[in-house]
């Protein structure tokens, strides 16, 4: 999870791909309000590119490791406002599934003053 978080923080798609299982899947929820994939994406290369595109590139964002649904996850905030919450499944040393919530209607409880 630490390697996944570090790769997400820098947007390094090669580092992301290195921690992903070959058959990894990502599901993203933008709620029709923000950019997200309209359907699940499969495969390490495609997932790495999507994760990097959704979680990096915004100046001023802060990525922190936090408990998400009872497991280690990531929260991306901009000026204290959550813009993404990420949960992952890990088997051994590989990330096998990624869930990214981007829908602002679902993120309000993650905001910090």
């Amino acid at each position: 999870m630490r390697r996944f978080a570090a790769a997400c923080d820098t947007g390094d798609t090669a580092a992301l791909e290195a921690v992903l299982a070959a058959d990894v899947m990502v599901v993203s929820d933008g709620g029709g309000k923000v950019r997200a994939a309209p359907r699940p994406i499969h495969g390490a290369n495609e997932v790495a590119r999507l994760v990097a595109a959704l979680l990096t590139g915004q100046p001023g964002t802060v990525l922190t490791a936090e408990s998400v649904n009872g497991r280690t996850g990531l929260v991306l905030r901009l000026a204290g406002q959550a813009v993404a919450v990420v949960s992952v499944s890990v088997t051994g040393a590989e990330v096998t599934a990624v869930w990214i919530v981007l829908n602002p209607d679902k993120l309000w409880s993650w905001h910090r003053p």
Side-chain angles (χ1 to χ4, degrees), residues 26-76:
V26 64
V27 175
S28 58
D29 172 12
K33 298 183 179 206
V34 296
R35 180 178 62 148
R39 63 192 183 305
I41 304 294
H42 299 271
N45 181 267
E46 292 79 12
V47 169
R49 289 192 326 217
L50 179 67
V51 168
L54 293 178
L55 300 181
T56 60
Q58 296 180 11
T61 57
V62 176
L63 188 68
T64 57
E66 299 184 30
S67 178
V68 176
N69 296 326
R71 53 175 81 169
T72 302
L74 302 173
V75 180
L76 183 68

Side-chain angles (χ1 to χ4, degrees), residues 4 19-27 41-44 47 71 87-99:
F4 178 76
V19 299
L20 299 173
D23 60 347
V24 65
M25 172 203 63
V26 64
V27 175
I41 304 294
H42 299 271
V47 169
R71 53 175 81 169
S87 179
V88 300
S89 288
V90 178
T91 301
E94 294 182 320
V95 173
T96 56
V98 181
W99 295 271

